[in-house]
Amino acid sequence: MSTINLPLNLTVRVHPVVLFQIVDAYERRNADSERVIGTLLGSIDKGVVEVTNCFCLPHKEHTDQVEAELGYASDLYELNQRVNASENIVGWWATGQEVTNHSSVIHEYYARECSNPVHLTLDTSLTGARMGIKAYVCVSLGVPGGKSGCMFTPINVEVTSYEPEIVGLQLCMKTVGIQSNPSRPRTVSPMLDLAQVTDASDKLLALLADVLAYVDDVLNEKQQPENTVGRALLDLIHSVPNMTGDQFAQMFNSNVKDLLMVVTLSQLIKTQLQLNEKLTSLTSFLN
């Protein structure tokens, strides 16, 4: 038996916005739908499939067939290309924790849309109190000169994020535990720039305290040293610019002044726009 198209060295990296869109599509599904499927958008580079966007594909699954609105998927992909031409079809997603009998039929469609499409499953039923994520590729199997089939084989999947996405995730984390603690806020407003600096400084101080505690334990022979941690600390020390406390304070104050200037200018521009809007409305009313 031989294998054809063996892309098992692929790694799938999923951004949080994709997971949010899948969960939203699952929550908005029809009452008679057991699962939701859709298209994955992103890019492929050096064996890494980076999924940055997705959309839902309306479909119905019967015992012996699958009905999907392929025209809708084509139109939505074309519209997305006008907004972001760098996002191409890289596979498809489905809610649930297992590959079903209909998955091979759906995968055949996406195999015509892109080369070696990946299949992503998201367990929205929260089995084991976790939203499990799995990724597969369809490996062709068969005997030379005979019939061939395919098998869904798991591949590595990771959750990655850009810096702006990390800020959004940190805000979402503040609403975790609403059911156990009703006093926690259901909505969180973005923090002001200076408040973010303060929050980041507090977290940095806490991390430095952990590092100092680890170093003290090693020096006092309360803990065995680890070479990996030691090298990381050495690289960290070498990466810090050599400056005095006064020089650091001057640099920090200069950056804070620049930040305050930007905030002030943005507020002035906002005020001028609001004033211009009101004057325009007043002029139109008088005429």
Side-chain angles (χ1 to χ4, degrees):
M1 180 177 293
S2 64
T3 60
I4 309 171
N5 294 334
L6 197 61
L8 300 181
N9 57 343
L10 289 177
T11 298
V12 180
R13 294 178 180 173
V14 186
H15 285 258
V17 65
V18 176
L19 305 179
F20 287 138
Q21 287 176 299
I22 294 176
V23 172
D24 181 69
Y26 180 77
E27 291 294 327
R28 298 173 183 269
R29 73 189 188 282
N30 296 329
D32 57 344
S33 298
E34 296 184 0
R35 71 169 185 165
V36 186
I37 67 172
T39 302
L40 295 175
L41 302 175
S43 60
I44 303 177
D45 183 29
K46 298 179 180 179
V48 176
V49 181
E50 188 165 0
V51 184
T52 55
N53 200 356
C54 71
F55 59 83
C56 179
L57 173 61
H59 84 298
K60 292 182 179 181
E61 296 185 13
H62 305 283
T63 304
D64 55 347
Q65 63 179 354
V66 178
E67 297 179 1
E69 299 183 14
L70 302 182
Y72 172 86
S74 179
D75 294 341
L76 202 57
Y77 174 64
E78 183 179 350
L79 291 174
N80 190 82
Q81 281 283 291
R82 297 181 183 180
V83 178
N84 194 344
S86 61
E87 290 183 343
N88 299 311
I89 297 177
V90 295
W92 64 288
W93 57 267
T95 56
Q97 59 177 337
E98 296 180 352
V99 176
T100 66
N101 296 331
H102 295 143
S103 296
S104 58
V105 178
I106 302 173
H107 199 83
E108 289 180 1
Y109 162 72
Y110 284 96
R112 297 192 297 267
E113 298 295 324
C114 64
S115 177
N116 293 327
V118 298
H119 176 36
L120 185 74
T121 61
L122 184 64
D123 184 14
T124 50
S125 62
L126 299 179
T127 303
R130 290 182 58 86
M131 188 174 292
I133 308 173
K134 296 180 181 179
Y136 305 87
V137 291
C138 192
V139 179
S140 299
L141 302 174
V143 178
K147 293 184 178 181
S148 62
C150 66
M151 177 180 65
F152 284 93
T153 305
I155 57 176
N156 295 328
V157 58
E158 304 171 356
V159 177
T160 186
S161 57
Y162 300 128
E163 290 186 3
E165 293 175 331
I166 295 177
V167 176
L169 290 176
Q170 291 174 347
L171 288 175
C172 292
M173 288 295 294
K174 295 183 178 181
T175 62
V176 173
I178 292 178
Q179 295 180 351
S180 58
N181 186 7
S183 62
R184 293 184 68 104
R186 290 183 174 272
T187 59
V188 179
S189 301
M191 300 171 59
L192 298 176
D193 293 335
L194 291 179
Q196 292 183 16
V197 173
T198 303
D199 188 51
S201 300
D202 292 338
K203 293 179 180 178
L204 181 60
L205 288 174
L207 293 174
L208 289 175
D210 293 339
V211 172
L212 290 176
Y214 170 79
V215 173
D216 290 338
D217 290 341
V218 172
L219 293 178
N220 296 328
E221 298 183 353
K222 295 181 180 180
Q223 185 174 348
Q224 292 294 327
E226 297 183 10
N227 293 332
T228 304
V229 178
R231 293 191 186 96
L233 291 177
L234 184 62
D235 294 338
L236 176 63
I237 294 174
H238 288 165
S239 64
V240 176
N242 187 13
M243 62 176 62
T244 63
D246 294 336
Q247 291 174 336
F248 177 78
Q250 182 180 0
M251 180 190 68
F252 181 78
N253 292 331
S254 176
N255 291 333
V256 170
K257 290 179 181 178
D258 294 340
L259 177 61
L260 291 175
M261 179 63 69
V262 172
V263 173
T264 303
L265 291 176
S266 63
Q267 292 295 332
L268 287 175
I269 294 174
K270 182 179 179 180
T271 303
Q272 289 182 353
L273 291 174
Q274 291 176 347
L275 181 60
N276 180 68
E277 183 179 356
K278 291 183 178 180
L279 290 175
T280 303
S281 301
L282 181 61
T283 303
S284 301
F285 177 74
L286 293 177
N287 293 335

PDB file of all heavy atoms in Angstrom, residues 4 6 11 18 28 33 42 130 171 177 183 201 207 272 274 282-283:
ATOM      1  N   ILE A   4      -0.128   8.893  -0.842  1.00  0.00           N
ATOM      2  CA  ILE A   4       0.040   9.990  -1.786  1.00  0.00           C
ATOM      3  C   ILE A   4      -0.293  11.288  -1.058  1.00  0.00           C
ATOM      4  O   ILE A   4      -1.207  11.341  -0.236  1.00  0.00           O
ATOM      5  CB  ILE A   4      -0.889   9.823  -2.996  1.00  0.00           C
ATOM      6  CG1 ILE A   4      -0.738   8.425  -3.578  1.00  0.00           C
ATOM      7  CG2 ILE A   4      -0.616  10.861  -4.053  1.00  0.00           C
ATOM      8  CD1 ILE A   4      -1.751   8.099  -4.633  1.00  0.00           C
ATOM      9  N   LEU A   6       1.505  13.513   1.313  1.00  0.00           N
ATOM     10  CA  LEU A   6       1.709  13.287   2.732  1.00  0.00           C
ATOM     11  C   LEU A   6       2.185  14.573   3.416  1.00  0.00           C
ATOM     12  O   LEU A   6       3.350  14.693   3.779  1.00  0.00           O
ATOM     13  CB  LEU A   6       2.749  12.171   2.918  1.00  0.00           C
ATOM     14  CG  LEU A   6       2.830  11.495   4.288  1.00  0.00           C
ATOM     15  CD1 LEU A   6       1.522  10.819   4.623  1.00  0.00           C
ATOM     16  CD2 LEU A   6       3.980  10.516   4.331  1.00  0.00           C
ATOM     17  N   THR A  11       2.068  22.680  10.276  1.00  0.00           N
ATOM     18  CA  THR A  11       1.660  23.200  11.574  1.00  0.00           C
ATOM     19  C   THR A  11       0.603  24.278  11.348  1.00  0.00           C
ATOM     20  O   THR A  11       0.808  25.182  10.541  1.00  0.00           O
ATOM     21  CB  THR A  11       2.847  23.799  12.344  1.00  0.00           C
ATOM     22  OG1 THR A  11       3.806  22.777  12.603  1.00  0.00           O
ATOM     23  CG2 THR A  11       2.389  24.392  13.677  1.00  0.00           C
ATOM     24  N   VAL A  18     -10.506  33.925  14.855  1.00  0.00           N
ATOM     25  CA  VAL A  18     -11.111  32.783  14.166  1.00  0.00           C
ATOM     26  C   VAL A  18     -11.953  31.962  15.142  1.00  0.00           C
ATOM     27  O   VAL A  18     -13.081  31.559  14.828  1.00  0.00           O
ATOM     28  CB  VAL A  18     -10.019  31.916  13.520  1.00  0.00           C
ATOM     29  CG1 VAL A  18     -10.617  30.674  12.878  1.00  0.00           C
ATOM     30  CG2 VAL A  18      -9.242  32.723  12.485  1.00  0.00           C
ATOM     31  N   ARG A  28     -25.358  31.091  16.769  1.00  0.00           N
ATOM     32  CA  ARG A  28     -26.407  31.609  15.894  1.00  0.00           C
ATOM     33  C   ARG A  28     -26.955  30.555  14.937  1.00  0.00           C
ATOM     34  O   ARG A  28     -27.735  30.885  14.037  1.00  0.00           O
ATOM     35  CB  ARG A  28     -25.864  32.800  15.073  1.00  0.00           C
ATOM     36  CG  ARG A  28     -25.424  33.985  15.914  1.00  0.00           C
ATOM     37  CD  ARG A  28     -24.742  35.026  15.039  1.00  0.00           C
ATOM     38  NE  ARG A  28     -24.251  36.151  15.804  1.00  0.00           N
ATOM     39  CZ  ARG A  28     -24.946  37.264  16.056  1.00  0.00           C
ATOM     40  NH1 ARG A  28     -26.180  37.377  15.586  1.00  0.00           N
ATOM     41  NH2 ARG A  28     -24.427  38.246  16.758  1.00  0.00           N
ATOM     42  N   SER A  33     -29.786  22.325  13.480  1.00  0.00           N
ATOM     43  CA  SER A  33     -28.406  22.050  13.056  1.00  0.00           C
ATOM     44  C   SER A  33     -27.596  21.524  14.235  1.00  0.00           C
ATOM     45  O   SER A  33     -27.561  22.150  15.297  1.00  0.00           O
ATOM     46  CB  SER A  33     -27.751  23.317  12.506  1.00  0.00           C
ATOM     47  OG  SER A  33     -28.450  23.789  11.360  1.00  0.00           O
ATOM     48  N   GLY A  42      -6.415  32.349   5.212  1.00  0.00           N
ATOM     49  CA  GLY A  42      -5.110  32.680   5.775  1.00  0.00           C
ATOM     50  C   GLY A  42      -4.024  32.553   4.736  1.00  0.00           C
ATOM     51  O   GLY A  42      -4.238  32.834   3.553  1.00  0.00           O
ATOM     52  N   ARG A 130     -13.254  21.854  28.399  1.00  0.00           N
ATOM     53  CA  ARG A 130     -12.279  22.500  27.528  1.00  0.00           C
ATOM     54  C   ARG A 130     -12.832  22.595  26.115  1.00  0.00           C
ATOM     55  O   ARG A 130     -13.591  21.737  25.673  1.00  0.00           O
ATOM     56  CB  ARG A 130     -10.957  21.720  27.482  1.00  0.00           C
ATOM     57  CG  ARG A 130     -10.149  21.784  28.768  1.00  0.00           C
ATOM     58  CD  ARG A 130      -8.840  21.031  28.608  1.00  0.00           C
ATOM     59  NE  ARG A 130      -8.052  21.571  27.515  1.00  0.00           N
ATOM     60  CZ  ARG A 130      -7.220  22.597  27.641  1.00  0.00           C
ATOM     61  NH1 ARG A 130      -7.086  23.185  28.809  1.00  0.00           N
ATOM     62  NH2 ARG A 130      -6.525  23.029  26.616  1.00  0.00           N
ATOM     63  N   LEU A 171      -8.468  41.974  27.927  1.00  0.00           N
ATOM     64  CA  LEU A 171      -9.723  42.593  28.340  1.00  0.00           C
ATOM     65  C   LEU A 171     -10.815  41.543  28.530  1.00  0.00           C
ATOM     66  O   LEU A 171     -11.610  41.610  29.476  1.00  0.00           O
ATOM     67  CB  LEU A 171     -10.170  43.637  27.305  1.00  0.00           C
ATOM     68  CG  LEU A 171      -9.369  44.932  27.249  1.00  0.00           C
ATOM     69  CD1 LEU A 171      -9.849  45.804  26.087  1.00  0.00           C
ATOM     70  CD2 LEU A 171      -9.486  45.694  28.551  1.00  0.00           C
ATOM     71  N   GLY A 177     -15.429  34.152  34.780  1.00  0.00           N
ATOM     72  CA  GLY A 177     -15.949  33.830  36.097  1.00  0.00           C
ATOM     73  C   GLY A 177     -17.196  34.592  36.474  1.00  0.00           C
ATOM     74  O   GLY A 177     -17.487  34.766  37.659  1.00  0.00           O
ATOM     75  N   SER A 183     -20.776  39.590  40.596  1.00  0.00           N
ATOM     76  CA  SER A 183     -20.353  40.983  40.746  1.00  0.00           C
ATOM     77  C   SER A 183     -19.338  41.395  39.691  1.00  0.00           C
ATOM     78  O   SER A 183     -19.083  42.590  39.515  1.00  0.00           O
ATOM     79  CB  SER A 183     -19.755  41.197  42.139  1.00  0.00           C
ATOM     80  OG  SER A 183     -18.596  40.382  42.317  1.00  0.00           O
ATOM     81  N   SER A 201       3.413  48.014  34.139  1.00  0.00           N
ATOM     82  CA  SER A 201       4.497  48.177  35.120  1.00  0.00           C
ATOM     83  C   SER A 201       4.272  47.271  36.326  1.00  0.00           C
ATOM     84  O   SER A 201       5.226  46.666  36.845  1.00  0.00           O
ATOM     85  CB  SER A 201       4.585  49.639  35.556  1.00  0.00           C
ATOM     86  OG  SER A 201       4.855  50.484  34.451  1.00  0.00           O
ATOM     87  N   LEU A 207       6.734  40.025  37.855  1.00  0.00           N
ATOM     88  CA  LEU A 207       7.622  39.071  37.199  1.00  0.00           C
ATOM     89  C   LEU A 207       9.054  39.193  37.711  1.00  0.00           C
ATOM     90  O   LEU A 207       9.743  38.187  37.924  1.00  0.00           O
ATOM     91  CB  LEU A 207       7.583  39.289  35.682  1.00  0.00           C
ATOM     92  CG  LEU A 207       6.260  38.963  34.984  1.00  0.00           C
ATOM     93  CD1 LEU A 207       6.328  39.356  33.514  1.00  0.00           C
ATOM     94  CD2 LEU A 207       5.926  37.479  35.119  1.00  0.00           C
ATOM     95  N   GLN A 272     -12.942  69.576  17.533  1.00  0.00           N
ATOM     96  CA  GLN A 272     -13.153  70.374  16.327  1.00  0.00           C
ATOM     97  C   GLN A 272     -14.112  69.684  15.363  1.00  0.00           C
ATOM     98  O   GLN A 272     -14.963  70.337  14.738  1.00  0.00           O
ATOM     99  CB  GLN A 272     -11.812  70.651  15.642  1.00  0.00           C
ATOM    100  CG  GLN A 272     -10.925  71.634  16.395  1.00  0.00           C
ATOM    101  CD  GLN A 272      -9.630  71.918  15.659  1.00  0.00           C
ATOM    102  OE1 GLN A 272      -9.331  71.292  14.641  1.00  0.00           O
ATOM    103  NE2 GLN A 272      -8.856  72.872  16.162  1.00  0.00           N
ATOM    104  N   GLN A 274     -16.525  67.597  16.167  1.00  0.00           N
ATOM    105  CA  GLN A 274     -17.871  67.699  16.733  1.00  0.00           C
ATOM    106  C   GLN A 274     -18.432  69.100  16.555  1.00  0.00           C
ATOM    107  O   GLN A 274     -19.616  69.274  16.222  1.00  0.00           O
ATOM    108  CB  GLN A 274     -17.827  67.328  18.218  1.00  0.00           C
ATOM    109  CG  GLN A 274     -17.535  65.862  18.473  1.00  0.00           C
ATOM    110  CD  GLN A 274     -17.406  65.552  19.952  1.00  0.00           C
ATOM    111  OE1 GLN A 274     -17.294  66.451  20.781  1.00  0.00           O
ATOM    112  NE2 GLN A 274     -17.419  64.266  20.293  1.00  0.00           N
ATOM    113  N   LEU A 282     -26.445  73.336  11.977  1.00  0.00           N
ATOM    114  CA  LEU A 282     -27.112  74.617  12.227  1.00  0.00           C
ATOM    115  C   LEU A 282     -27.267  75.421  10.943  1.00  0.00           C
ATOM    116  O   LEU A 282     -28.324  76.014  10.690  1.00  0.00           O
ATOM    117  CB  LEU A 282     -26.331  75.411  13.276  1.00  0.00           C
ATOM    118  CG  LEU A 282     -26.912  76.784  13.662  1.00  0.00           C
ATOM    119  CD1 LEU A 282     -28.304  76.629  14.245  1.00  0.00           C
ATOM    120  CD2 LEU A 282     -25.969  77.496  14.631  1.00  0.00           C
ATOM    121  N   THR A 283     -26.220  75.401  10.101  1.00  0.00           N
ATOM    122  CA  THR A 283     -26.284  76.139   8.830  1.00  0.00           C
ATOM    123  C   THR A 283     -27.350  75.557   7.926  1.00  0.00           C
ATOM    124  O   THR A 283     -28.124  76.278   7.266  1.00  0.00           O
ATOM    125  CB  THR A 283     -24.915  76.098   8.142  1.00  0.00           C
ATOM    126  OG1 THR A 283     -23.938  76.644   9.018  1.00  0.00           O
ATOM    127  CG2 THR A 283     -24.949  76.921   6.862  1.00  0.00           C
TER     128      THR A 283
END
